[in-house]
Amino acid sequence: MRLLTQALWRLSEDYLGGISVDRVTTIVAVLLSYALAHVFQRIPPRMSGAKHLFSIVTTVLLFGLVQEQYLGLLHLTTGSVVIYVVMRCMKGAYMPQTVFLIAMLHLSFSHIRRQLHERNSKRVEFDYTGAQMIFVIKATSLAFCIHDGRRCLSSSADVILSPYQRKNAIAKVPDLLEYLGYIFFFPGFAVGPAFELATYRQMVYLDNRRSRRQLSVRAYRKLVESLFWMVVYVVYSDSFTFAELATRNFYKQRSFISAALYLCVTGVVVRAAYYTAWKMSEGACILTGLGFDGYDKLGNPRWLDIANIRVRDVELGSSIKQLIDSWNIGTNTWLRHHIYLRLISPPNAGARVSSTRATVLTFLVSAWWHGFYPGYYLTFMLGALAASSARTLRRNLHPLVALPPKTKTNNIRAFPLVIKALYDVCGWIASKYTLDFVVAPFMLLALRPAFQLKGRNFHQIQLDGQDEDSLCKLFQYLYLVVVHYIAELARNIEIHHIHTVEV
């Protein structure tokens, strides 16, 4: 495969702005998935074993021969078999926790190995840890779904299972071939999206022959969208970087507004790389039939939303919650239903924790899942604080500007539409800046440049030595402290408003 590597290196240097070859090979592997998806969708549902086997073999060829991740295949195959044995052998309530711990410890080993390698090579590389992160979501989700399926047999299942848990509960451990077909599903193996086994089974067993035209149209629309974002990234990635924001010279000739605008544009350009990978992978998954949900009474096809990203909501969302819910949706679904909700509503009612503490723990799990660069933990700690503050702000301010229901007994004064529009615009600006502000350490990886960016973004003061570092560490909290202050003010406004209405 040396000739392929050389050809992709030349392609990267001549046409793709010097994007690393490992990322180019990932794009090529996903593009090849489109052609192979046409073959996959023509395997009849009655030959489910052939579909599983086709997916496994295709993933081995693409991930091994094209991306040359032979060590990654060994790690993922070994991890898959070990976790399958655990799910088969353990019958108690601690089975999903055991699977979670094994999968996360194995992923931690891979993250540390990668981080040490990048430290020596002085460059960030795309290796098998991305695919292993998807594997962790799938394996742990399946373990919890099997546990929920066993709980369905209890008399109190209607009380302790949420609608999501009942929908995705698995009555028994799948056979090894189906399990590996689900884990090694080729279009989403390297970059996602992650999904439940129940969704995979729908794709395998439902007949979508009458909807192949619609599948193709939906899939190639995603491909066109991904190519647009790839052009954005290739053209502008050298001009807009978070590393530039952390330098002293950047602020010498720029005002705060100019720097803030640069930060927001940089956020869009950096996210374009994620949009490219996720939309391209989503299209290949759709082409296989993933997301097809059968037909309604009129014979029209029904579709499930398998998107890993909703670009419009991320870029135009007016609240932090909307941005978080629309970004990396597969991971968010996993964190929400298998981490957060199981912390605040566990089977043992005495073990539940507060929503705030559950939010912090969920963000920490997310940081652990991403790796061990300090910037990850700074991002997710600030993200937890921002999400909690935004939730308080919205809960207390939104009712004051939302149009009341049209009822005769409604005595609440309705704000003009212009006030509601102004509220949405302000929410969009605040959410957008908060997103890029919080995400910066994630992209910079190290703490020092992240502190420098945050401090200089607020106070463009020329300082030297220890004084500058101290101010940078202080100003990183300034923005979110102000948000907390506004949230407390909003709560007081709400109390005063309710008191006025009652009087």
Side-chain angles (χ1 to χ4, degrees):
M1 301 303 292
R2 183 175 299 177
L3 291 177
L4 176 61
T5 302
Q6 292 176 350
L8 293 177
W9 180 84
R10 187 175 298 276
L11 174 66
S12 172
E13 291 294 326
D14 294 344
Y15 301 103
L16 298 179
I19 298 177
S20 60
V21 176
D22 46 10
R23 293 191 177 189
V24 176
T25 57
T26 302
I27 294 175
V28 170
V30 176
L31 287 174
L32 289 175
S33 297
Y34 279 80
L36 295 167
H38 284 286
V39 179
F40 181 87
Q41 68 175 209
R42 282 166 172 76
I43 302 176
R46 67 177 183 276
M47 298 177 62
S48 59
K51 285 193 171 185
H52 303 320
L53 188 60
F54 181 91
S55 187
I56 296 169
V57 173
T58 300
T59 293
V60 171
L61 292 176
L62 292 178
F63 200 66
L65 297 181
V66 177
Q67 296 183 251
E68 297 184 338
Q69 296 292 344
Y70 305 109
L71 179 62
L73 279 176
L74 178 61
H75 273 278
L76 290 166
T77 302
T78 303
S80 300
V81 172
V82 169
I83 285 179
Y84 184 78
V85 171
V86 171
M87 290 189 293
R88 274 287 187 186
C89 297
M90 288 192 68
K91 306 297 183 181
Y94 292 102
M95 183 273 289
Q97 288 88 339
T98 303
V99 169
F100 177 85
L101 186 61
I102 293 173
M104 289 297 291
L105 289 177
H106 186 192
L107 178 62
S108 299
F109 169 82
S110 298
H111 276 315
I112 293 172
R113 177 186 172 277
R114 174 191 177 186
Q115 190 167 335
L116 291 175
H117 174 72
E118 290 175 350
R119 182 179 180 180
N120 295 329
S121 63
K122 304 297 183 181
R123 62 185 296 265
V124 177
E125 297 180 350
F126 185 92
D127 67 348
Y128 68 90
T129 53
Q132 190 173 4
M133 291 163 72
I134 304 299
F135 161 73
V136 168
I137 294 178
K138 286 184 174 182
T140 55
S141 297
L142 177 59
F144 279 111
C145 289
I146 293 172
H147 178 59
D148 292 337
R150 293 168 178 170
R151 290 163 61 194
C152 283
L153 302 176
S154 67
S155 59
S156 59
D158 292 338
V159 178
I160 62 177
L161 290 182
S162 69
Y164 182 90
Q165 292 170 343
R166 284 195 293 269
K167 176 183 176 183
N168 294 287
I170 303 299
K172 62 178 182 178
V173 179
D175 62 70
L176 182 60
L177 184 61
E178 182 183 27
Y179 166 76
L180 291 178
Y182 165 65
I183 295 295
F184 286 83
F185 182 60
F186 66 96
F189 180 75
V191 296
F195 46 85
E196 304 285 4
L197 178 63
T199 304
Y200 176 77
R201 283 179 168 176
Q202 279 188 310
M203 181 269 298
V204 170
Y205 294 107
L206 287 179
D207 188 354
N208 59 24
R209 283 178 296 178
R210 289 189 295 154
S211 302
R212 284 176 184 169
R213 180 182 176 84
Q214 293 95 320
L215 287 174
S216 298
V217 171
R218 290 167 59 88
Y220 286 104
R221 281 178 180 172
K222 304 299 181 184
L223 177 59
V224 171
E225 184 179 355
S226 71
L227 294 177
F228 166 78
W229 287 111
M230 184 171 69
V231 171
V232 171
Y233 182 77
V234 170
V235 173
Y236 296 106
S237 59
D238 289 336
S239 302
F240 296 91
T241 64
F242 282 109
E244 178 69 16
L245 279 160
T247 61
R248 182 191 300 272
N249 293 333
F250 176 82
Y251 296 92
K252 287 184 177 180
Q253 297 178 348
R254 289 180 182 266
S255 64
F256 169 78
I257 299 297
S258 176
L261 290 175
Y262 184 96
L263 172 64
C264 293
V265 174
T266 300
V268 175
V269 173
V270 170
R271 287 192 292 275
Y274 294 89
Y275 297 158
T276 299
W278 285 338
K279 283 299 177 183
M280 194 176 290
S281 177
E282 179 188 347
C285 289
I286 291 174
L287 201 55
T288 63
L290 191 70
F292 175 70
D293 195 28
Y295 302 93
D296 59 20
K297 295 181 180 179
L298 300 178
N300 299 316
R302 297 193 305 263
W303 309 98
L304 299 174
D305 185 8
I306 63 167
N308 207 30
I309 184 71
R310 289 192 286 267
V311 177
R312 181 180 300 177
D313 290 340
V314 171
E315 298 300 337
L316 301 178
S318 60
S319 68
I320 294 294
K321 182 180 184 302
Q322 186 177 7
L323 300 183
I324 293 176
D325 290 346
S326 303
W327 175 265
N328 204 354
I329 298 172
T331 303
N332 283 333
T333 301
W334 172 64
L335 292 170
R336 181 185 307 112
H337 292 285
H338 298 301
I339 306 296
Y340 176 79
L341 292 179
R342 294 180 189 272
L343 287 172
I344 64 173
S345 301
N348 181 7
R352 66 176 294 162
V353 299
S354 66
S355 60
T356 300
R357 184 174 299 178
T359 299
V360 173
L361 290 174
T362 302
F363 272 96
L364 288 177
V365 169
S366 181
W368 182 17
W369 177 76
H370 279 89
F372 296 99
Y373 279 107
Y376 294 165
Y377 292 84
L378 179 57
T379 285
F380 287 109
M381 285 190 291
L382 293 177
L385 183 60
S388 178
S389 302
R391 188 185 305 118
T392 303
L393 278 169
R394 184 171 181 83
R395 183 172 62 247
N396 294 293
L397 289 181
H398 188 265
L400 302 180
V401 299
L403 296 178
K406 297 180 180 179
T407 57
K408 295 180 180 180
T409 59
N410 185 8
N411 296 322
I412 302 178
R413 180 182 177 183
F415 278 70
L417 289 176
V418 66
I419 301 298
K420 179 62 168 64
L422 182 62
Y423 169 84
D424 290 336
V425 171
C426 292
W428 172 70
I429 294 174
S431 300
K432 195 78 170 60
Y433 185 76
T434 301
L435 171 67
D436 297 320
F437 177 86
V438 168
V439 166
F442 187 95
M443 305 308 303
L444 293 170
L445 301 179
L447 289 180
R448 183 178 179 83
F451 289 153
Q452 291 171 343
L453 182 152
K454 294 178 184 300
R456 289 168 180 164
N457 201 262
F458 288 112
H459 289 260
Q460 298 165 26
I461 302 173
Q462 301 301 322
L463 296 174
D464 294 315
Q466 187 174 359
D467 292 335
E468 180 184 6
D469 289 341
S470 300
L471 275 181
C472 288
K473 294 177 182 179
L474 173 64
F475 291 139
Q476 66 168 314
Y477 299 106
L478 176 62
Y479 177 73
L480 295 176
V481 168
V482 170
V483 170
H484 263 300
Y485 174 78
I486 296 175
E488 293 300 323
L489 179 63
R491 183 181 292 110
N492 294 333
I493 292 174
E494 181 196 36
I495 294 173
H496 175 73
H497 178 73
I498 294 175
H499 178 71
T500 303
V501 171
E502 290 177 350
V503 173

